[in-house]
Amino acid sequence: MNSNYEMLGKAYTENAKIFPQKGKIIEGTKGILGYWRLPEGIKTSYHKITQVEIKIVDDTAYDYGYYEGITKKTNGEENSWKGKYVIVWKKENNIWKIYLDIWNNI
């Protein structure tokens, strides 16, 4: 929520892929950060993830569940959103990172 894009980029593997709703698959850190970077003056004021299940098998894991949030525009208008997601994680150098990330709205 604090727009720390450097930290966000480090959460994904170098060959990660995201599958945004109504869009093509986006690969790699540069492309993923380009997708997540909010326009100037727009801020995510609330974000919550509710995991339904997480499963770990060796150096791979997955979790799925629900997300919700609020984005605040420069004019003060707020936009609420919610949906469901699936994330596949890979362990790199003993650190869990996102490899595949897919979501869609409810």
Side-chain angles (χ1 to χ4, degrees), residues 17-79:
K17 291 141 189 84
I18 63 173
F19 301 77
Q21 183 168 291
K22 299 181 184 178
K24 294 183 178 185
I25 298 169
I26 299 171
E27 299 185 45
T29 304
K30 185 177 179 181
I32 291 170
L33 288 178
Y35 178 85
W36 287 123
R37 190 174 303 277
L38 294 174
E40 186 69 34
I42 296 180
K43 182 171 176 57
T44 299
S45 60
Y46 171 74
H47 188 263
K48 178 182 176 185
I49 293 177
T50 304
Q51 291 177 330
V52 172
E53 179 180 5
I54 186 165
K55 178 80 171 179
I56 301 170
V57 179
D58 299 323
D59 287 344
T60 303
Y62 69 81
D63 77 283
Y64 68 88
Y66 298 94
Y67 65 86
E68 60 184 277
I70 299 171
T71 303
K72 191 170 187 175
K73 299 179 181 180
T74 54
N75 65 3
E77 182 182 329
E78 292 186 336
N79 181 29

Side-chain angles (χ1 to χ4, degrees), residues 12-15 59 90-97:
Y12 287 89
T13 64
E14 286 186 27
N15 62 343
D59 287 344
K90 295 270 186 186
K91 204 172 204 183
E92 286 188 345
N93 300 318
N94 247 3
I95 299 171
W96 287 103
K97 294 189 174 191

